[in-house]
Amino acid sequence: MNEEQKSLLLNSSSCFSPPQGVKLSYGTAGFRADASLLPSTVYRVGILAALRSLKTGSVIGVMITASHNKVSDNGVKIADPNGGMLSQHWEPFADALANAPSPQHLLLLINEFVAKEGILMDGVSQAEVLLGRDTRPSGSALLEAARQGVTSIVGAVVKDMGILTTPQLHWMVRARNKGIKASEQDYFEQLSSSLRCLEDLIPTEKSKFDELIDKVVVDGSNGVGGVKLKGLGRLLNALVIEVRNSSEDGGVLNDGVGADYVQKEKLVPHGFGSEDAGMRCASLDGDADRLVYFIVQPESSGRIDLVDGDKILSLFALFIREQLSFLNENEGLKNCYPCRLGVVQTAYANGASTNYLKQLGLEVNFTPTGVKYLHEKAAEFDIGIYFEANGHGTVLFSESLIEWLEARTKEISSGSKASEAEKAALRLLAVSKLINQAVGDALSGLLLVEVILQHMGWSIHRWNELYHDLPSRQLKVKVADRNAVITANAETVVVSPPGLQEAINAETGKYPQGRCFVRPSGTEDVVRVYAEASTQEAAGTLANSVTKLVDQFLGLNSS
Ligand code: 16G
Ligand code: MG
């Protein structure tokens, strides 16, 4: 590192002191904390992004958001060159950078790391970082901190992409690195044109809908997703999207609204009421990377029927499986593609969804909680569909399948009637363009759900009847040290503290269809307990008993 670089880093970092007595960690979704604690961390993530760009020779993204957390929180995460999450191999460096106590320590760390990684800081190599933020009031100052971090590395430039959903920024990073146009307009155009393509391919006998089915009502969590959905909605022909709880409506972000609230509380969000009973409703989270649907129950009970990420996954799996069977039906070997379709869930998926998917003959895989784990597993398939019950998920297509579909659809001669196999190829190609290939995206997920429902001629009720969720209950326990809980087998077994799993097994064994897991949260200082059983009451009792066990083994008073 030359003298110019050293003094640039020392000068700029002296303006950003890390908070005293707080240890930050790059968790499942980057750094998150009260916004007042974050300027130094975001500045340092700016440095990290510039270094990552130098290392990879690609554009990197920095997103400032705390997703579904309260409005006074904020957070920051990195989008890697392919638009996915930061390589796990760099996470320890992110932790060390964020917690370096002084500018001198910071410099030392950077020096060591660039030497180890062989990163050239010669002042000639170029780096580029795209910045985005959600609608939180603390976002603009934190974006400025990120800018200072990036530009404290010689040769690094920043592009401020403005207020975006998290998946938009990931999409833009991926597009830029593929040499594709990457503005918000390009994103909207890709989504709307691929939707149109799917709409044009809806079997004619199924394309008649009453008004109710044509419209979806969306809760934007008082965040960025609602605004963007309105922009996207203007480009759509047939689909009518009514947006409520958009950031400009003045409500408080994530307060009694949004996908997290709807999924966890199973209650009607603000802005919805009994007049919406039976309508097709959806909810996004604060940065629009989660999507769940719901049906408001009749009368003013305030309850909803939740149509969660597991059901979205099941709908997508059903549609894609159908297209694959058309694709290979009556085709000679030459026209067949041995497509490996896989689905990925976490242990927190409702057991009924897993049974349903297995009954469809699908390969169901499990990973620990967190998009980075599911995404990585899904990428092993030609088509990998992943979803968490909370609504994070997408459908990944392998490059070789996309190439094959492109070649297959090029052969379709204009004017002649496309065969069922050709239509299926066109549909799959359109799905690969519609659904975000970088990360789960509530906006593109919503369009895909909508067009599949039209394709099937299904109401939300029909969709919700695919299977019946087993009663479940989630609880959280405050413990002395949540990291004392170590799990294995995709979080289904506790290996430490010793004896806890045996105690959970003994308790679970008392309940017909009982399943119960515990794991440390990646975003809150708690241990989570998930229980399923044949009745709601039994699920509740099981969750309570296991909560007590966790407390006995690890409670605040245990050493
Ligand atoms: C984060 C994760 C999400 C996971 C959730 C679990 C990303 C982008 N987000 O929001 O996938 O479901 O954490 O939180 O990876 P928990 O560990 O506190 O339950
Ligand atoms: Mg989110």
Side-chain angles (χ1 to χ4, degrees), residues 226-255:
V227 191
K228 301 300 178 186
L229 198 52
K230 284 182 190 169
L232 179 58
R234 285 191 274 276
L235 298 177
L236 308 179
N237 295 339
L239 178 63
V240 180
I241 305 176
E242 181 184 331
V243 179
R244 300 186 194 162
N245 303 332
S246 180
S247 67
E248 73 273 22
D249 298 341
V252 181
L253 179 69
N254 300 333
D255 185 14

PDB file of all heavy atoms in Angstrom, residues 226-255:
ATOM      1  N   GLY A 226     -43.781  -0.899  -2.098  1.00  0.00           N
ATOM      2  CA  GLY A 226     -45.038  -0.369  -2.617  1.00  0.00           C
ATOM      3  C   GLY A 226     -44.813   0.645  -3.730  1.00  0.00           C
ATOM      4  O   GLY A 226     -45.486   0.621  -4.769  1.00  0.00           O
ATOM      5  N   VAL A 227     -43.843   1.533  -3.512  1.00  0.00           N
ATOM      6  CA  VAL A 227     -43.551   2.571  -4.519  1.00  0.00           C
ATOM      7  C   VAL A 227     -43.120   1.926  -5.834  1.00  0.00           C
ATOM      8  O   VAL A 227     -43.580   2.303  -6.915  1.00  0.00           O
ATOM      9  CB  VAL A 227     -42.374   3.474  -4.051  1.00  0.00           C
ATOM     10  CG1 VAL A 227     -42.230   4.692  -4.932  1.00  0.00           C
ATOM     11  CG2 VAL A 227     -42.492   3.833  -2.591  1.00  0.00           C
ATOM     12  N   LYS A 228     -42.224   0.952  -5.705  1.00  0.00           N
ATOM     13  CA  LYS A 228     -41.695   0.316  -6.914  1.00  0.00           C
ATOM     14  C   LYS A 228     -42.778  -0.501  -7.628  1.00  0.00           C
ATOM     15  O   LYS A 228     -42.819  -0.554  -8.851  1.00  0.00           O
ATOM     16  CB  LYS A 228     -40.519  -0.599  -6.561  1.00  0.00           C
ATOM     17  CG  LYS A 228     -39.380   0.112  -5.878  1.00  0.00           C
ATOM     18  CD  LYS A 228     -38.793   1.219  -6.738  1.00  0.00           C
ATOM     19  CE  LYS A 228     -37.674   1.947  -6.021  1.00  0.00           C
ATOM     20  NZ  LYS A 228     -37.187   3.108  -6.766  1.00  0.00           N
ATOM     21  N   LEU A 229     -43.642  -1.093  -6.829  1.00  0.00           N
ATOM     22  CA  LEU A 229     -44.708  -1.898  -7.427  1.00  0.00           C
ATOM     23  C   LEU A 229     -45.666  -1.014  -8.220  1.00  0.00           C
ATOM     24  O   LEU A 229     -46.166  -1.412  -9.276  1.00  0.00           O
ATOM     25  CB  LEU A 229     -45.445  -2.646  -6.310  1.00  0.00           C
ATOM     26  CG  LEU A 229     -46.283  -3.839  -6.725  1.00  0.00           C
ATOM     27  CD1 LEU A 229     -45.493  -4.808  -7.576  1.00  0.00           C
ATOM     28  CD2 LEU A 229     -46.805  -4.563  -5.474  1.00  0.00           C
ATOM     29  N   LYS A 230     -45.875   0.212  -7.720  1.00  0.00           N
ATOM     30  CA  LYS A 230     -46.733   1.134  -8.476  1.00  0.00           C
ATOM     31  C   LYS A 230     -46.083   1.460  -9.822  1.00  0.00           C
ATOM     32  O   LYS A 230     -46.742   1.478 -10.854  1.00  0.00           O
ATOM     33  CB  LYS A 230     -46.958   2.421  -7.688  1.00  0.00           C
ATOM     34  CG  LYS A 230     -47.948   2.268  -6.555  1.00  0.00           C
ATOM     35  CD  LYS A 230     -48.149   3.608  -5.852  1.00  0.00           C
ATOM     36  CE  LYS A 230     -48.934   3.418  -4.563  1.00  0.00           C
ATOM     37  NZ  LYS A 230     -48.941   4.615  -3.734  1.00  0.00           N
ATOM     38  N   GLY A 231     -44.753   1.698  -9.790  1.00  0.00           N
ATOM     39  CA  GLY A 231     -44.023   1.995 -11.030  1.00  0.00           C
ATOM     40  C   GLY A 231     -44.130   0.833 -12.004  1.00  0.00           C
ATOM     41  O   GLY A 231     -44.414   1.011 -13.199  1.00  0.00           O
ATOM     42  N   LEU A 232     -43.951  -0.360 -11.485  1.00  0.00           N
ATOM     43  CA  LEU A 232     -44.017  -1.560 -12.319  1.00  0.00           C
ATOM     44  C   LEU A 232     -45.444  -1.771 -12.841  1.00  0.00           C
ATOM     45  O   LEU A 232     -45.648  -2.094 -14.019  1.00  0.00           O
ATOM     46  CB  LEU A 232     -43.560  -2.755 -11.470  1.00  0.00           C
ATOM     47  CG  LEU A 232     -43.552  -4.135 -12.077  1.00  0.00           C
ATOM     48  CD1 LEU A 232     -42.658  -4.177 -13.322  1.00  0.00           C
ATOM     49  CD2 LEU A 232     -43.036  -5.165 -11.068  1.00  0.00           C
ATOM     50  N   GLY A 233     -46.407  -1.545 -11.960  1.00  0.00           N
ATOM     51  CA  GLY A 233     -47.816  -1.760 -12.310  1.00  0.00           C
ATOM     52  C   GLY A 233     -48.238  -0.952 -13.529  1.00  0.00           C
ATOM     53  O   GLY A 233     -49.068  -1.397 -14.330  1.00  0.00           O
ATOM     54  N   ARG A 234     -47.641   0.238 -13.712  1.00  0.00           N
ATOM     55  CA  ARG A 234     -48.010   1.096 -14.850  1.00  0.00           C
ATOM     56  C   ARG A 234     -47.626   0.469 -16.189  1.00  0.00           C
ATOM     57  O   ARG A 234     -48.146   0.844 -17.230  1.00  0.00           O
ATOM     58  CB  ARG A 234     -47.353   2.476 -14.688  1.00  0.00           C
ATOM     59  CG  ARG A 234     -48.047   3.334 -13.626  1.00  0.00           C
ATOM     60  CD  ARG A 234     -47.563   4.783 -13.673  1.00  0.00           C
ATOM     61  NE  ARG A 234     -46.366   5.003 -12.886  1.00  0.00           N
ATOM     62  CZ  ARG A 234     -46.355   5.237 -11.571  1.00  0.00           C
ATOM     63  NH1 ARG A 234     -47.486   5.310 -10.904  1.00  0.00           N
ATOM     64  NH2 ARG A 234     -45.225   5.430 -10.915  1.00  0.00           N
ATOM     65  N   LEU A 235     -46.666  -0.474 -16.151  1.00  0.00           N
ATOM     66  CA  LEU A 235     -46.233  -1.094 -17.410  1.00  0.00           C
ATOM     67  C   LEU A 235     -47.018  -2.364 -17.742  1.00  0.00           C
ATOM     68  O   LEU A 235     -46.789  -2.996 -18.756  1.00  0.00           O
ATOM     69  CB  LEU A 235     -44.748  -1.461 -17.332  1.00  0.00           C
ATOM     70  CG  LEU A 235     -43.765  -0.309 -17.145  1.00  0.00           C
ATOM     71  CD1 LEU A 235     -42.348  -0.840 -17.023  1.00  0.00           C
ATOM     72  CD2 LEU A 235     -43.841   0.647 -18.334  1.00  0.00           C
ATOM     73  N   LEU A 236     -47.905  -2.769 -16.828  1.00  0.00           N
ATOM     74  CA  LEU A 236     -48.594  -4.050 -17.034  1.00  0.00           C
ATOM     75  C   LEU A 236     -49.919  -3.846 -17.758  1.00  0.00           C
ATOM     76  O   LEU A 236     -50.584  -2.828 -17.567  1.00  0.00           O
ATOM     77  CB  LEU A 236     -48.833  -4.734 -15.692  1.00  0.00           C
ATOM     78  CG  LEU A 236     -47.594  -4.890 -14.802  1.00  0.00           C
ATOM     79  CD1 LEU A 236     -47.955  -5.564 -13.494  1.00  0.00           C
ATOM     80  CD2 LEU A 236     -46.497  -5.673 -15.516  1.00  0.00           C
ATOM     81  N   ASN A 237     -50.293  -4.856 -18.555  1.00  0.00           N
ATOM     82  CA  ASN A 237     -51.537  -4.732 -19.329  1.00  0.00           C
ATOM     83  C   ASN A 237     -52.741  -5.233 -18.557  1.00  0.00           C
ATOM     84  O   ASN A 237     -53.638  -4.491 -18.200  1.00  0.00           O
ATOM     85  CB  ASN A 237     -51.463  -5.575 -20.608  1.00  0.00           C
ATOM     86  CG  ASN A 237     -50.406  -5.063 -21.535  1.00  0.00           C
ATOM     87  OD1 ASN A 237     -50.008  -3.895 -21.420  1.00  0.00           O
ATOM     88  ND2 ASN A 237     -49.935  -5.904 -22.428  1.00  0.00           N
ATOM     89  N   ALA A 238     -52.687  -6.550 -18.269  1.00  0.00           N
ATOM     90  CA  ALA A 238     -53.897  -7.203 -17.787  1.00  0.00           C
ATOM     91  C   ALA A 238     -54.021  -7.167 -16.269  1.00  0.00           C
ATOM     92  O   ALA A 238     -55.112  -6.988 -15.734  1.00  0.00           O
ATOM     93  CB  ALA A 238     -53.893  -8.651 -18.265  1.00  0.00           C
ATOM     94  N   LEU A 239     -52.907  -7.306 -15.599  1.00  0.00           N
ATOM     95  CA  LEU A 239     -52.947  -7.478 -14.145  1.00  0.00           C
ATOM     96  C   LEU A 239     -53.192  -6.148 -13.435  1.00  0.00           C
ATOM     97  O   LEU A 239     -52.531  -5.152 -13.710  1.00  0.00           O
ATOM     98  CB  LEU A 239     -51.612  -8.078 -13.690  1.00  0.00           C
ATOM     99  CG  LEU A 239     -51.429  -8.302 -12.203  1.00  0.00           C
ATOM    100  CD1 LEU A 239     -52.448  -9.303 -11.687  1.00  0.00           C
ATOM    101  CD2 LEU A 239     -50.016  -8.800 -11.926  1.00  0.00           C
ATOM    102  N   VAL A 240     -54.144  -6.151 -12.502  1.00  0.00           N
ATOM    103  CA  VAL A 240     -54.420  -4.935 -11.730  1.00  0.00           C
ATOM    104  C   VAL A 240     -53.850  -5.132 -10.324  1.00  0.00           C
ATOM    105  O   VAL A 240     -54.207  -6.078  -9.626  1.00  0.00           O
ATOM    106  CB  VAL A 240     -55.939  -4.666 -11.647  1.00  0.00           C
ATOM    107  CG1 VAL A 240     -56.210  -3.394 -10.852  1.00  0.00           C
ATOM    108  CG2 VAL A 240     -56.532  -4.582 -13.048  1.00  0.00           C
ATOM    109  N   ILE A 241     -52.945  -4.217  -9.933  1.00  0.00           N
ATOM    110  CA  ILE A 241     -52.341  -4.316  -8.602  1.00  0.00           C
ATOM    111  C   ILE A 241     -52.764  -3.087  -7.802  1.00  0.00           C
ATOM    112  O   ILE A 241     -52.478  -1.954  -8.201  1.00  0.00           O
ATOM    113  CB  ILE A 241     -50.802  -4.351  -8.683  1.00  0.00           C
ATOM    114  CG1 ILE A 241     -50.332  -5.487  -9.594  1.00  0.00           C
ATOM    115  CG2 ILE A 241     -50.199  -4.493  -7.292  1.00  0.00           C
ATOM    116  CD1 ILE A 241     -48.829  -5.546  -9.804  1.00  0.00           C
ATOM    117  N   GLU A 242     -53.457  -3.313  -6.699  1.00  0.00           N
ATOM    118  CA  GLU A 242     -53.794  -2.188  -5.825  1.00  0.00           C
ATOM    119  C   GLU A 242     -52.798  -2.186  -4.669  1.00  0.00           C
ATOM    120  O   GLU A 242     -52.705  -3.156  -3.927  1.00  0.00           O
ATOM    121  CB  GLU A 242     -55.227  -2.353  -5.299  1.00  0.00           C
ATOM    122  CG  GLU A 242     -55.630  -1.201  -4.402  1.00  0.00           C
ATOM    123  CD  GLU A 242     -57.023  -1.414  -3.798  1.00  0.00           C
ATOM    124  OE1 GLU A 242     -57.863  -2.081  -4.425  1.00  0.00           O
ATOM    125  OE2 GLU A 242     -57.221  -0.929  -2.671  1.00  0.00           O
ATOM    126  N   VAL A 243     -52.044  -1.085  -4.552  1.00  0.00           N
ATOM    127  CA  VAL A 243     -51.013  -1.032  -3.518  1.00  0.00           C
ATOM    128  C   VAL A 243     -51.517  -0.232  -2.320  1.00  0.00           C
ATOM    129  O   VAL A 243     -51.999   0.890  -2.477  1.00  0.00           O
ATOM    130  CB  VAL A 243     -49.722  -0.381  -4.068  1.00  0.00           C
ATOM    131  CG1 VAL A 243     -48.657  -0.317  -2.978  1.00  0.00           C
ATOM    132  CG2 VAL A 243     -49.191  -1.158  -5.263  1.00  0.00           C
ATOM    133  N   ARG A 244     -51.386  -0.816  -1.136  1.00  0.00           N
ATOM    134  CA  ARG A 244     -51.654  -0.074   0.108  1.00  0.00           C
ATOM    135  C   ARG A 244     -50.377  -0.076   0.950  1.00  0.00           C
ATOM    136  O   ARG A 244     -49.504  -0.887   0.732  1.00  0.00           O
ATOM    137  CB  ARG A 244     -52.787  -0.737   0.900  1.00  0.00           C
ATOM    138  CG  ARG A 244     -54.071  -0.783   0.107  1.00  0.00           C
ATOM    139  CD  ARG A 244     -55.212  -1.302   0.959  1.00  0.00           C
ATOM    140  NE  ARG A 244     -56.332  -1.646   0.094  1.00  0.00           N
ATOM    141  CZ  ARG A 244     -57.334  -2.440   0.458  1.00  0.00           C
ATOM    142  NH1 ARG A 244     -57.367  -2.953   1.668  1.00  0.00           N
ATOM    143  NH2 ARG A 244     -58.312  -2.710  -0.384  1.00  0.00           N
ATOM    144  N   ASN A 245     -50.318   0.807   1.934  1.00  0.00           N
ATOM    145  CA  ASN A 245     -49.153   0.872   2.827  1.00  0.00           C
ATOM    146  C   ASN A 245     -47.854   1.035   2.026  1.00  0.00           C
ATOM    147  O   ASN A 245     -46.889   0.285   2.212  1.00  0.00           O
ATOM    148  CB  ASN A 245     -49.053  -0.379   3.716  1.00  0.00           C
ATOM    149  CG  ASN A 245     -50.296  -0.593   4.539  1.00  0.00           C
ATOM    150  OD1 ASN A 245     -50.998   0.368   4.869  1.00  0.00           O
ATOM    151  ND2 ASN A 245     -50.594  -1.834   4.867  1.00  0.00           N
ATOM    152  N   SER A 246     -47.846   2.034   1.165  1.00  0.00           N
ATOM    153  CA  SER A 246     -46.629   2.359   0.430  1.00  0.00           C
ATOM    154  C   SER A 246     -45.911   3.439   1.245  1.00  0.00           C
ATOM    155  O   SER A 246     -46.537   4.129   2.047  1.00  0.00           O
ATOM    156  CB  SER A 246     -47.037   2.874  -0.940  1.00  0.00           C
ATOM    157  OG  SER A 246     -45.904   3.188  -1.679  1.00  0.00           O
ATOM    158  N   SER A 247     -44.596   3.609   1.053  1.00  0.00           N
ATOM    159  CA  SER A 247     -43.846   4.512   1.945  1.00  0.00           C
ATOM    160  C   SER A 247     -44.399   5.930   1.922  1.00  0.00           C
ATOM    161  O   SER A 247     -44.363   6.624   2.931  1.00  0.00           O
ATOM    162  CB  SER A 247     -42.369   4.512   1.589  1.00  0.00           C
ATOM    163  OG  SER A 247     -42.185   5.084   0.335  1.00  0.00           O
ATOM    164  N   GLU A 248     -44.931   6.373   0.781  1.00  0.00           N
ATOM    165  CA  GLU A 248     -45.400   7.766   0.718  1.00  0.00           C
ATOM    166  C   GLU A 248     -46.778   7.942   1.367  1.00  0.00           C
ATOM    167  O   GLU A 248     -47.272   9.075   1.462  1.00  0.00           O
ATOM    168  CB  GLU A 248     -45.373   8.308  -0.722  1.00  0.00           C
ATOM    169  CG  GLU A 248     -46.443   7.786  -1.656  1.00  0.00           C
ATOM    170  CD  GLU A 248     -46.040   6.486  -2.343  1.00  0.00           C
ATOM    171  OE1 GLU A 248     -45.157   5.783  -1.824  1.00  0.00           O
ATOM    172  OE2 GLU A 248     -46.636   6.161  -3.383  1.00  0.00           O
ATOM    173  N   ASP A 249     -47.374   6.851   1.854  1.00  0.00           N
ATOM    174  CA  ASP A 249     -48.683   6.974   2.500  1.00  0.00           C
ATOM    175  C   ASP A 249     -48.579   7.461   3.940  1.00  0.00           C
ATOM    176  O   ASP A 249     -49.599   7.724   4.592  1.00  0.00           O
ATOM    177  CB  ASP A 249     -49.430   5.625   2.486  1.00  0.00           C
ATOM    178  CG  ASP A 249     -49.707   5.153   1.063  1.00  0.00           C
ATOM    179  OD1 ASP A 249     -49.657   5.999   0.157  1.00  0.00           O
ATOM    180  OD2 ASP A 249     -49.949   3.946   0.865  1.00  0.00           O
ATOM    181  N   GLY A 250     -47.365   7.554   4.474  1.00  0.00           N
ATOM    182  CA  GLY A 250     -47.171   8.184   5.784  1.00  0.00           C
ATOM    183  C   GLY A 250     -47.193   7.233   6.971  1.00  0.00           C
ATOM    184  O   GLY A 250     -46.918   7.653   8.092  1.00  0.00           O
ATOM    185  N   GLY A 251     -47.471   5.956   6.780  1.00  0.00           N
ATOM    186  CA  GLY A 251     -47.469   5.009   7.911  1.00  0.00           C
ATOM    187  C   GLY A 251     -46.039   4.674   8.323  1.00  0.00           C
ATOM    188  O   GLY A 251     -45.083   4.955   7.600  1.00  0.00           O
ATOM    189  N   VAL A 252     -45.908   4.077   9.506  1.00  0.00           N
ATOM    190  CA  VAL A 252     -44.570   3.724  10.012  1.00  0.00           C
ATOM    191  C   VAL A 252     -44.122   2.389   9.419  1.00  0.00           C
ATOM    192  O   VAL A 252     -44.858   1.403   9.447  1.00  0.00           O
ATOM    193  CB  VAL A 252     -44.576   3.631  11.557  1.00  0.00           C
ATOM    194  CG1 VAL A 252     -43.187   3.280  12.081  1.00  0.00           C
ATOM    195  CG2 VAL A 252     -45.082   4.921  12.161  1.00  0.00           C
ATOM    196  N   LEU A 253     -42.895   2.386   8.904  1.00  0.00           N
ATOM    197  CA  LEU A 253     -42.320   1.196   8.275  1.00  0.00           C
ATOM    198  C   LEU A 253     -42.422  -0.022   9.199  1.00  0.00           C
ATOM    199  O   LEU A 253     -42.030   0.042  10.373  1.00  0.00           O
ATOM    200  CB  LEU A 253     -40.840   1.490   7.959  1.00  0.00           C
ATOM    201  CG  LEU A 253     -40.015   0.383   7.321  1.00  0.00           C
ATOM    202  CD1 LEU A 253     -40.468   0.127   5.899  1.00  0.00           C
ATOM    203  CD2 LEU A 253     -38.540   0.740   7.342  1.00  0.00           C
ATOM    204  N   ASN A 254     -42.943  -1.115   8.660  1.00  0.00           N
ATOM    205  CA  ASN A 254     -42.984  -2.415   9.359  1.00  0.00           C
ATOM    206  C   ASN A 254     -43.759  -2.403  10.678  1.00  0.00           C
ATOM    207  O   ASN A 254     -43.569  -3.285  11.512  1.00  0.00           O
ATOM    208  CB  ASN A 254     -41.560  -2.937   9.660  1.00  0.00           C
ATOM    209  CG  ASN A 254     -40.732  -3.128   8.409  1.00  0.00           C
ATOM    210  OD1 ASN A 254     -41.275  -3.358   7.335  1.00  0.00           O
ATOM    211  ND2 ASN A 254     -39.429  -3.027   8.527  1.00  0.00           N
ATOM    212  N   ASP A 255     -44.587  -1.398  10.900  1.00  0.00           N
ATOM    213  CA  ASP A 255     -45.304  -1.306  12.174  1.00  0.00           C
ATOM    214  C   ASP A 255     -46.747  -1.796  11.992  1.00  0.00           C
ATOM    215  O   ASP A 255     -47.581  -1.077  11.448  1.00  0.00           O
ATOM    216  CB  ASP A 255     -45.264   0.156  12.654  1.00  0.00           C
ATOM    217  CG  ASP A 255     -45.878   0.311  14.031  1.00  0.00           C
ATOM    218  OD1 ASP A 255     -46.089  -0.718  14.703  1.00  0.00           O
ATOM    219  OD2 ASP A 255     -46.167   1.458  14.430  1.00  0.00           O
TER     220      ASP A 255
END
